[in-house]
Amino acid sequence: MVLLAAAICTRKGNVLLSRQFVEMNKSRIEGLLSAFPKLIVTDKQHTFIETESVRYVYQPLDKLYVVLITTKASNILEDLETLRLFARVIPEYCRNIDEREVSENVFQLIFAFDEIIALGYRESVNLAQIKTFTEMDSHDEKVYQAVRKTQEKEAKEEMKKKAKELQRQKLEAQKAGRTSYGTGIGNSSSSTTSVTPSTTTEMPLPMEPAPIHTPKPKLTGKGMKLGKKGADIDTFVDSVRKDGGLVKDTNGIATTEPVRPNAVAVSTSPLHLRQEEKILTSVHREGDVDQFEVRGLLCLHIMSEELANVQICVDNTDNRQIQIQTHPNIDKRAFQESGIVGMKQVGRPFPVNTDVGVLKWRFQSGDSADLPLIINCWPSETARGCDVNIEYELQDHTLELFNVLISIPVSSQGGAASVAQCDGSYTQSHGALEWSVPLIDKSNSNGVLEFSAIGSPDSFYPVNVAFNMNKPFCQLKVAKVVEAGTDNTVPYTTECSVVTEQYMVE
């Protein structure tokens, strides 16, 4: 199936929304949509129309039409299934299916359409996944907003204290005026003292924005505390020992090794780029890959209007089949030809003081050779339960995995598991044996955990893995940022965050 475009139009043929998924010029798509109402035959019971070049698949939706324009070689059954999904998406964003609601929610609908179709082909998504993808929840934004509210609250408290202090000074000044001058010139003294407080009360007002605009430097300081060597691991080990847990270390990895922080401090750079990736993996215990997917997003944050008219040069050195999609306002052709991320409309600046997702990508594979980390679990039945041998193997030695936590379900009945060997540290609590390795890289690409516990071989599944990285899994990186239409480079800062949303062996 090759889907050329999706549109919402009125019964009279007025186009409310149109999204093209392949390269088409404006005149052609306008011609195709303007011809659609003229081709509808009311006395026939079907919802598709074929012309010499394309096929229209449509569905009435109250007073509107949802129209898909496909090639004639596409599968009509897949076209109808896709049409039904489009028709289900629209009511999720429009309370009433009319021209006004569609016009008010046009961008939300376009974003949802982009999740259904990529480069003309249907994505394997359902309605719930589309809603999740389009929410684009940002942890950094939540942190920033929380810090901002705290600073605003502190500023208001400070202003209240200043107001009370000024009121107290005013009362003292009035009292002193009555004592010095007596009742004969009380009116004169009161008029004189009334000028002084009114002038003074205006002075602290400019102080209000000062604490509001300073959350970022304070947040940076907190972020630096997270980077202390071994702080996270030492705290983790100490808490385990206080609870009576047994922790063993080997010579391979010590708990005092430096660990990268999970959180990155909010940048104060006028132009900041954030690269995020989430890994979703489900592997069968025999080694077959049920799902391996990496979802990436490049966000731009500009704090100065002088830097709003820029272009981002992105290098894609990855030889794997990665699906890359640009924001609707980004010039897709410029990116495909030269890797430049810039506004489609010449001279239009990027939004200021907000996170803008300009580029997203997805990599899917069913080959275990593409996995960053292989987990082998070998439970062997014994008279008293099972002897379990778990091994991890880093496949790509250029990767660095931080804060690796491998969780194996273990029955709490029959006592704690007996650990014979552990490359790293471990603890047992809440029905799980958690194996912690601060860093896995080329110098520590293999590790083993051996233990004995009560249970059957199936009871030690699923094995859940969590880790993070500070370099992207997909080989996309920002090469430089330049002023739009020139070669003048612009200073910028970048950060990268790769986390596991799900990494499971079942």
Short mmCIF file of all heavy atoms in Angstrom, two decimals, residues 425-448:
data_model
loop_
_atom_site.label_atom_id
_atom_site.label_comp_id
_atom_site.label_asym_id
_atom_site.label_seq_id
_atom_site.Cartn_x
_atom_site.Cartn_y
_atom_site.Cartn_z
N SER A 425 27.25 -6.27 41.99
CA SER A 425 26.63 -6.35 43.31
C SER A 425 25.19 -6.82 43.13
O SER A 425 24.64 -6.76 42.03
CB SER A 425 26.67 -5.00 44.02
OG SER A 425 26.01 -4.01 43.26
N TYR A 426 24.58 -7.29 44.22
CA TYR A 426 23.22 -7.80 44.13
C TYR A 426 22.50 -7.56 45.45
O TYR A 426 23.11 -7.33 46.50
CB TYR A 426 23.22 -9.30 43.81
CG TYR A 426 23.70 -10.18 44.94
CD1 TYR A 426 22.83 -10.69 45.89
CD2 TYR A 426 25.05 -10.48 45.08
CE1 TYR A 426 23.26 -11.47 46.94
CE2 TYR A 426 25.51 -11.27 46.11
CZ TYR A 426 24.62 -11.77 47.04
OH TYR A 426 25.05 -12.55 48.08
N THR A 427 21.20 -7.64 45.37
CA THR A 427 20.33 -7.59 46.55
C THR A 427 19.06 -8.33 46.23
O THR A 427 18.65 -8.42 45.06
CB THR A 427 20.02 -6.14 46.96
OG1 THR A 427 19.20 -6.17 48.13
CG2 THR A 427 19.28 -5.41 45.86
N GLN A 428 18.41 -8.87 47.25
CA GLN A 428 17.17 -9.60 47.07
C GLN A 428 16.09 -8.94 47.92
O GLN A 428 16.24 -8.78 49.13
CB GLN A 428 17.32 -11.06 47.47
CG GLN A 428 16.05 -11.89 47.25
CD GLN A 428 16.24 -13.36 47.53
OE1 GLN A 428 17.37 -13.80 47.69
NE2 GLN A 428 15.17 -14.11 47.61
N SER A 429 14.99 -8.54 47.27
CA SER A 429 13.88 -7.93 47.98
C SER A 429 12.65 -7.96 47.11
O SER A 429 12.74 -7.93 45.88
CB SER A 429 14.20 -6.47 48.36
OG SER A 429 14.42 -5.70 47.20
N HIS A 430 11.48 -8.05 47.76
CA HIS A 430 10.19 -8.01 47.07
C HIS A 430 10.09 -9.07 45.97
O HIS A 430 9.59 -8.81 44.88
CB HIS A 430 9.95 -6.62 46.48
CG HIS A 430 10.05 -5.51 47.48
ND1 HIS A 430 9.15 -5.35 48.50
CD2 HIS A 430 10.98 -4.52 47.61
CE1 HIS A 430 9.49 -4.30 49.22
NE2 HIS A 430 10.60 -3.78 48.71
N GLY A 431 10.57 -10.26 46.25
CA GLY A 431 10.43 -11.36 45.30
C GLY A 431 11.28 -11.26 44.07
O GLY A 431 10.94 -11.84 43.03
N ALA A 432 12.39 -10.54 44.12
CA ALA A 432 13.27 -10.39 42.96
C ALA A 432 14.72 -10.31 43.42
O ALA A 432 15.03 -9.74 44.47
CB ALA A 432 12.91 -9.17 42.15
N LEU A 433 15.60 -10.90 42.62
CA LEU A 433 17.04 -10.78 42.83
C LEU A 433 17.55 -9.76 41.82
O LEU A 433 17.45 -9.96 40.61
CB LEU A 433 17.73 -12.14 42.61
CG LEU A 433 19.25 -12.17 42.83
CD1 LEU A 433 19.60 -11.86 44.28
CD2 LEU A 433 19.82 -13.53 42.43
N GLU A 434 18.05 -8.64 42.32
CA GLU A 434 18.46 -7.53 41.45
C GLU A 434 19.98 -7.49 41.37
O GLU A 434 20.68 -7.30 42.37
CB GLU A 434 17.91 -6.21 41.99
CG GLU A 434 16.39 -6.16 41.96
CD GLU A 434 15.84 -4.83 42.40
OE1 GLU A 434 16.57 -4.10 43.12
OE2 GLU A 434 14.70 -4.50 42.04
N TRP A 435 20.46 -7.64 40.15
CA TRP A 435 21.89 -7.66 39.85
C TRP A 435 22.27 -6.29 39.28
O TRP A 435 21.74 -5.88 38.24
CB TRP A 435 22.16 -8.79 38.86
CG TRP A 435 23.58 -8.94 38.41
CD1 TRP A 435 24.70 -8.42 38.98
CD2 TRP A 435 24.03 -9.68 37.28
NE1 TRP A 435 25.82 -8.78 38.28
CE2 TRP A 435 25.44 -9.56 37.23
CE3 TRP A 435 23.39 -10.43 36.30
CZ2 TRP A 435 26.20 -10.16 36.23
CZ3 TRP A 435 24.14 -11.03 35.32
CH2 TRP A 435 25.54 -10.90 35.29
N SER A 436 23.18 -5.61 39.96
CA SER A 436 23.53 -4.24 39.58
C SER A 436 24.97 -4.18 39.08
O SER A 436 25.89 -4.67 39.74
CB SER A 436 23.35 -3.30 40.78
OG SER A 436 23.76 -1.99 40.45
N VAL A 437 25.14 -3.56 37.90
CA VAL A 437 26.47 -3.33 37.33
C VAL A 437 26.55 -1.84 36.96
O VAL A 437 25.78 -1.38 36.11
CB VAL A 437 26.71 -4.20 36.07
CG1 VAL A 437 28.13 -4.00 35.55
CG2 VAL A 437 26.47 -5.67 36.39
N PRO A 438 27.44 -1.08 37.59
CA PRO A 438 27.48 0.36 37.31
C PRO A 438 27.80 0.70 35.86
O PRO A 438 27.25 1.65 35.33
CB PRO A 438 28.57 0.87 38.26
CG PRO A 438 28.71 -0.18 39.31
CD PRO A 438 28.39 -1.46 38.65
N LEU A 439 28.69 -0.05 35.23
CA LEU A 439 29.12 0.29 33.87
C LEU A 439 29.46 -0.97 33.10
O LEU A 439 30.19 -1.84 33.59
CB LEU A 439 30.35 1.22 33.91
CG LEU A 439 31.02 1.53 32.58
CD1 LEU A 439 30.07 2.30 31.66
CD2 LEU A 439 32.32 2.32 32.79
N ILE A 440 28.93 -1.06 31.88
CA ILE A 440 29.28 -2.15 30.96
C ILE A 440 29.82 -1.50 29.70
O ILE A 440 29.13 -0.74 29.03
CB ILE A 440 28.06 -3.04 30.63
CG1 ILE A 440 27.54 -3.74 31.88
CG2 ILE A 440 28.41 -4.05 29.56
CD1 ILE A 440 26.31 -4.60 31.63
N ASP A 441 31.09 -1.80 29.40
CA ASP A 441 31.73 -1.28 28.19
C ASP A 441 32.66 -2.34 27.65
O ASP A 441 32.59 -3.51 28.04
CB ASP A 441 32.45 0.04 28.48
CG ASP A 441 33.51 -0.10 29.56
OD1 ASP A 441 33.75 -1.24 30.02
OD2 ASP A 441 34.11 0.92 29.95
N LYS A 442 33.56 -1.96 26.74
CA LYS A 442 34.44 -2.93 26.10
C LYS A 442 35.38 -3.61 27.08
O LYS A 442 35.81 -4.74 26.85
CB LYS A 442 35.23 -2.25 24.98
CG LYS A 442 36.15 -1.13 25.45
CD LYS A 442 36.88 -0.50 24.30
CE LYS A 442 37.79 0.64 24.76
NZ LYS A 442 38.50 1.27 23.61
N SER A 443 35.72 -2.95 28.19
CA SER A 443 36.60 -3.56 29.20
C SER A 443 35.83 -4.47 30.14
O SER A 443 36.43 -5.18 30.95
CB SER A 443 37.31 -2.47 30.00
OG SER A 443 36.37 -1.68 30.72
N ASN A 444 34.52 -4.45 30.07
CA ASN A 444 33.68 -5.24 30.97
C ASN A 444 32.47 -5.75 30.19
O ASN A 444 31.33 -5.58 30.58
CB ASN A 444 33.23 -4.35 32.14
CG ASN A 444 32.39 -5.11 33.14
OD1 ASN A 444 32.66 -6.25 33.45
ND2 ASN A 444 31.34 -4.46 33.63
N SER A 445 32.74 -6.36 29.05
CA SER A 445 31.68 -6.72 28.11
C SER A 445 30.95 -8.00 28.49
O SER A 445 29.90 -8.28 27.92
CB SER A 445 32.26 -6.87 26.70
OG SER A 445 33.26 -7.87 26.68
N ASN A 446 31.47 -8.77 29.44
CA ASN A 446 30.82 -10.01 29.87
C ASN A 446 30.74 -10.04 31.38
O ASN A 446 31.62 -9.51 32.08
CB ASN A 446 31.57 -11.25 29.38
CG ASN A 446 31.56 -11.36 27.86
OD1 ASN A 446 32.41 -10.78 27.21
ND2 ASN A 446 30.60 -12.09 27.32
N GLY A 447 29.72 -10.66 31.90
CA GLY A 447 29.56 -10.82 33.34
C GLY A 447 28.66 -11.99 33.65
O GLY A 447 27.81 -12.37 32.84
N VAL A 448 28.84 -12.58 34.85
CA VAL A 448 28.11 -13.79 35.21
C VAL A 448 27.53 -13.63 36.61
O VAL A 448 28.16 -13.04 37.51
CB VAL A 448 29.02 -15.03 35.17
CG1 VAL A 448 28.28 -16.28 35.64
CG2 VAL A 448 29.56 -15.25 33.77
#
